[in-house]
Amino acid sequence: MYRLFQTHHIRKEIALPELWDLTVPGNDTMKIPVPCCVESTPAFSRYKGTCKIETTKHFEGDLRLTFKGVGHTATVCLDGQHIGSHYGAYGEFSFLLKNQERKEHRICVEADNSYSEASALHVDNDYYSYLGITRPVILEQLEKAYIQWIHVTPECKDGLWKTNVTVCAENITDVDLNLTLKLFVSSKDASVAYGDGVVACAELPVSLAAGETKEFSTSIDCPGVEMYLPEHPVLYYLHAQLAQANEEAFDDLIDRFGFREVKVVGKQILFNGVPMKIKGFNRHEDFAEYGSCLPLAAMYRDIRLIKDTGANCVRTCHYPNDERFLDLCDENGLFVWEEAHGRGLSEEQMLNPHFMEQSRLTVREMITWHYNHPSIYVWGLLNECASETEYGRECYSELISLMRSLDSSRPITFASCRLFKDLCLDLVDIVSYNIYPQWYVDTSVRKFMDKCIEYIRSHGGENKPILISEIGAGAIYGYRTNLCSKWSEDYQVEALEDQITAVLGHEECSGVILWQFADCRVDKGWSMKRPKSQNNKGVVDIYRREKLGYAKVKELFHSL
Ligand code: ADA
């Protein structure tokens, strides 16, 4: 399963093999599960380079082959013919396979996680770029046209909810099609054919020229629905069906959403009208030997551990996450700051000729495919990139404009570390700073915050909400000492106590997102600054074993 609910009742999915053939140059071919990081194979735990992952499957006709994530560059062949490539480990991509003859076909993915000028976003970094087909692969049988995506924007006016719905459909034939688009808002993902849970519906005629992809919009009043609230996360389903006039529907897509609005009013972030006080964690998609390909049960355990501390938010540092994790956040009422891929790139790295095209791609993929998650309250981008330079500002400005054109319903932010020289604070709706008093700088947290806020209020963030999007301290799991020296669990407890108390106690601050939930693997270039080649600022270690800091966060998040 690639989502935590049924996404089709009409469109047929063709099950692909669980085990594919992995060939790493110079090694024998072996069977590997898909999805899985190649690094989960002991012999390849440190491998950087290319590999081939392939399988065979009988099919015919018109199909769509979708990859939810391949790390970090994919080149795909079908029966030896190149059908396309994709850059970026964290975005989904698809290929139309048309007029396939009835036979066994061979799908071959060449994946590459090496670093070169061709890769502007995956670089040697304070997290790890894993290799392989690390998220699910889906093969679907298509008819003459199909629904690519549905975007649902709930809106409340005078206590009445409605949904503004946009559906993107593609005609894969070489003739014009006049169709009917049927929309149902339902409280269940069960088939609307049983009339089960339908609360509202609409129907509109759509015409698609040969080979055309087009968007169709309408709005549907939804009387009597329940709001989505963190403590009561009620979810609804939008069923979209394509039918020929007076015939049964031949294609469908079901997505999930919640009746909620996020608005920035002055210095407050309002979630269904209630001011948000963020208490959260930064979380990398990384779990010991599973790497970025966490089993669903591990994602579930992370969410339960995060909620157990009293946290209400998770930031998907520094890239779009697996949709099943976002589905779990929706189900658990956990606010999500999801961000497009990018971390700590200098102006020189942002001048890479591929940087803007790759950044536009990760922004488009994130918003197009994750639009409906009610838990996502803010879109982020380019963590700690060169926002203190004119060129950096041009990049932030263009990408933020693109984000607003893709989604006008959510606020936008980015986490800055250019504290007293940031030139981009006027571009965002929420100002977010990464600060490390008590770790990188031994100074009072409150004084440090006051200095940052003074700069923010006079450089473009006058009347905006402020989040501390990173703050924390390192601790090696199991290292305890009455010296309370840095890297000990004891020191992390002291630092977190100062940091959380000061941030949540600051009247100008809308909340804190701790760095970080769990330790994660880092690249070779960071190993001298990262004991065990891990970023050790988690409150749990890479196996989710609790450090003393976990209990301290739990005590403070529940009491403040
Ligand atoms: C930065 C960065 C994080 C991590 C952190 C740290 O704020 O955004 O990815 O590197 O510093 O651990 O120093």
Side-chain angles (χ1 to χ4, degrees):
M1 280 291 274
Y2 53 91
R3 297 297 302 274
L4 301 191
F5 55 90
Q6 205 161 339
T7 54
H8 301 286
H9 285 293
I10 299 169
R11 190 186 306 171
K12 294 285 172 280
E13 187 180 327
I14 298 171
L16 288 167
E18 297 270 10
L19 294 175
W20 293 32
D21 297 322
L22 165 68
T23 308
V24 171
N27 292 270
D28 296 338
T29 296
M30 62 179 75
K31 289 289 182 188
I32 187 170
V34 166
C36 181
C37 295
V38 170
E39 291 85 352
S40 292
T41 316
F44 309 133
S45 59
R46 295 180 289 147
Y47 176 72
K48 278 279 180 200
T50 64
C51 69
K52 278 191 178 165
I53 306 170
E54 40 199 324
T55 192
T56 59
K57 185 69 186 179
H58 277 94
F59 52 78
E60 64 180 299
D62 296 329
L63 308 100
R64 181 171 69 159
L65 176 62
T66 298
F67 293 88
K68 290 287 194 176
V70 177
H72 64 56
T73 298
T75 304
V76 182
C77 290
L78 180 70
D79 303 326
Q81 298 299 313
H82 178 260
I83 57 173
S85 301
H86 179 268
Y87 174 80
Y90 313 110
E92 86 172 59
F93 57 103
S94 301
F95 302 106
L96 271 187
L97 313 178
K98 293 192 61 183
N99 311 314
Q100 295 303 311
E101 64 174 291
R102 179 185 176 81
K103 69 168 190 172
E104 180 176 76
H105 294 270
R106 186 158 199 77
I107 300 168
C108 176
V109 178
E110 179 172 284
D112 181 357
N113 73 336
S114 62
Y115 298 140
S116 71
E117 201 208 48
S119 171
L121 304 179
H122 286 280
V123 299
D124 188 293
N125 221 322
D126 197 14
Y127 60 98
Y128 198 77
S129 289
Y130 289 94
L131 175 64
I133 303 177
T134 55
R135 293 182 183 169
V137 186
I138 303 117
L139 182 63
E140 299 167 309
Q141 197 78 50
L142 298 181
E143 304 302 323
K144 41 187 163 293
Y146 73 101
I147 297 163
Q148 278 190 10
W149 48 259
I150 309 165
H151 286 174
V152 184
T153 311
E155 194 182 333
C156 187
K157 270 214 168 51
D158 309 325
L160 269 181
W161 283 100
K162 69 176 183 175
T163 52
N164 300 312
V165 180
T166 299
V167 174
C168 180
E170 180 177 358
N171 174 355
I172 63 172
T173 69
D174 51 9
V175 294
D176 297 353
L177 293 172
N178 292 308
L179 304 170
T180 301
L181 178 62
K182 299 179 181 176
L183 303 173
F184 305 86
V185 175
S186 171
S187 59
K188 300 183 186 338
D189 69 343
S191 167
V192 290
Y194 311 122
D196 202 358
V198 176
V199 294
C201 56
E203 195 168 299
L204 58 155
V206 303
S207 60
L208 283 166
E212 184 182 27
T213 299
K214 199 157 81 176
E215 297 176 13
F216 303 92
S217 297
T218 186
S219 66
I220 310 174
D221 288 338
C222 301
V225 293
E226 287 189 82
M227 281 199 289
Y228 178 92
L229 291 167
E231 65 278 3
H232 190 50
V234 178
L235 292 163
Y236 286 83
Y237 300 83
L238 197 294
H239 298 237
Q241 298 179 349
L242 278 179
Q244 202 98 43
N246 309 318
E247 288 180 14
E248 284 295 297
F250 60 82
D251 187 70
D252 71 339
L253 178 60
I254 303 165
D255 206 341
R256 196 163 72 170
F257 69 100
F259 286 95
R260 64 104 182 89
E261 289 179 315
V262 183
K263 293 185 189 309
V264 169
V265 177
K267 296 176 182 174
Q268 290 191 316
I269 311 165
L270 302 180
F271 193 96
N272 274 341
V274 178
M276 296 174 77
K277 187 73 175 176
I278 296 296
K279 298 184 282 190
F281 284 102
N282 283 277
R283 174 185 175 272
H284 268 295
E285 272 184 344
D286 194 326
F287 190 110
E289 282 69 29
Y290 289 113
S292 62
C293 185
L294 283 77
L296 183 62
M299 296 181 195
Y300 164 76
R301 178 160 159 68
D302 280 0
I303 289 214
R304 296 312 321 165
L305 280 167
I306 290 169
K307 284 189 72 80
D308 178 59
T309 66
N312 60 12
C313 170
V314 63
R315 175 181 172 214
T316 68
C317 58
H318 297 291
Y319 38 75
N321 270 201
D322 186 308
E323 275 219 276
R324 293 167 295 175
F325 182 76
L326 300 175
D327 283 343
L328 281 172
C329 291
D330 293 335
E331 301 253 0
N332 285 279
L334 205 55
F335 296 131
V336 175
W337 159 336
E338 186 167 57
E339 66 187 21
H341 185 206
R343 179 216 168 273
L345 302 175
S346 64
E347 182 176 42
E348 185 193 0
Q349 288 173 307
M350 291 173 78
L351 283 163
N352 176 309
H354 303 287
F355 172 76
M356 279 307 284
E357 97 202 50
Q358 291 174 348
S359 291
R360 286 187 209 99
L361 179 67
T362 176
V363 162
R364 276 191 187 285
E365 289 170 340
M366 175 177 77
I367 296 178
T368 303
W369 304 115
H370 296 174
Y371 186 96
N372 297 320
H373 290 279
S375 57
I376 298 175
Y377 69 99
V378 64
W379 295 120
L381 74 155
L382 295 185
N383 173 77
E384 295 197 345
C385 295
S387 56
E388 82 286 14
T389 70
E390 278 310 320
Y391 170 69
R393 179 181 166 84
E394 286 168 28
C395 298
Y396 273 96
S397 181
E398 183 189 325
L399 292 169
I400 288 171
S401 299
L402 172 61
M403 293 167 86
R404 292 195 193 288
S405 71
L406 294 169
D407 180 0
S408 58
S409 74
R410 287 181 173 90
I412 288 171
T413 188
F414 71 90
S416 170
C417 67
R418 274 44 181 194
L419 309 179
F420 311 114
K421 46 188 194 291
D422 201 297
L423 301 177
C424 298
L425 304 183
D426 60 313
L427 300 175
V428 295
D429 303 301
I430 298 167
V431 173
S432 302
Y433 265 29
N434 296 343
I435 61 173
Y436 284 90
Q438 301 293 313
W439 185 253
Y440 291 121
V441 280
D442 293 328
T443 176
S444 139
V445 183
R446 173 81 199 203
K447 284 202 185 86
F448 196 85
M449 284 180 69
D450 286 341
K451 204 164 158 247
C452 293
I453 292 170
E454 184 187 354
Y455 177 86
I456 292 168
R457 294 299 186 216
S458 53
H459 290 79
E462 279 72 8
N463 191 34
K464 294 179 179 176
I466 293 174
L467 285 175
I468 299 300
S469 36
E470 287 183 29
I471 193 166
I476 310 290
Y477 176 79
Y479 171 40
R480 298 181 185 176
T481 163
N482 57 13
L483 297 179
C484 204
S485 45
K486 283 187 177 177
W487 295 116
S488 69
E489 291 190 32
D490 318 79
Y491 182 81
Q492 187 185 49
V493 165
E494 278 195 4
L496 285 169
E497 176 127 46
D498 285 356
Q499 294 164 340
I500 295 170
T501 307
V503 176
L504 291 183
H506 201 296
E507 63 288 350
E508 289 278 288
C509 203
S510 292
V512 67
I513 308 179
L514 300 177
W515 187 275
Q516 65 172 331
F517 166 63
D519 295 348
C520 69
R521 182 174 176 178
V522 302
D523 263 315
K524 221 165 29 181
W526 285 71
S527 43
M528 280 313 288
K529 295 173 274 191
R530 297 285 185 261
K532 298 165 53 179
S533 276
Q534 292 176 13
N535 183 304
N536 294 283
K537 300 186 183 72
V539 294
V540 298
D541 79 343
I542 206 157
Y543 298 101
R544 275 62 178 165
R545 295 178 297 189
E546 295 168 21
K547 302 176 191 175
L548 295 174
Y550 180 86
K552 176 52 71 179
V553 172
K554 184 170 175 178
E555 172 205 321
L556 293 167
F557 274 1
H558 281 286
S559 61
L560 293 173

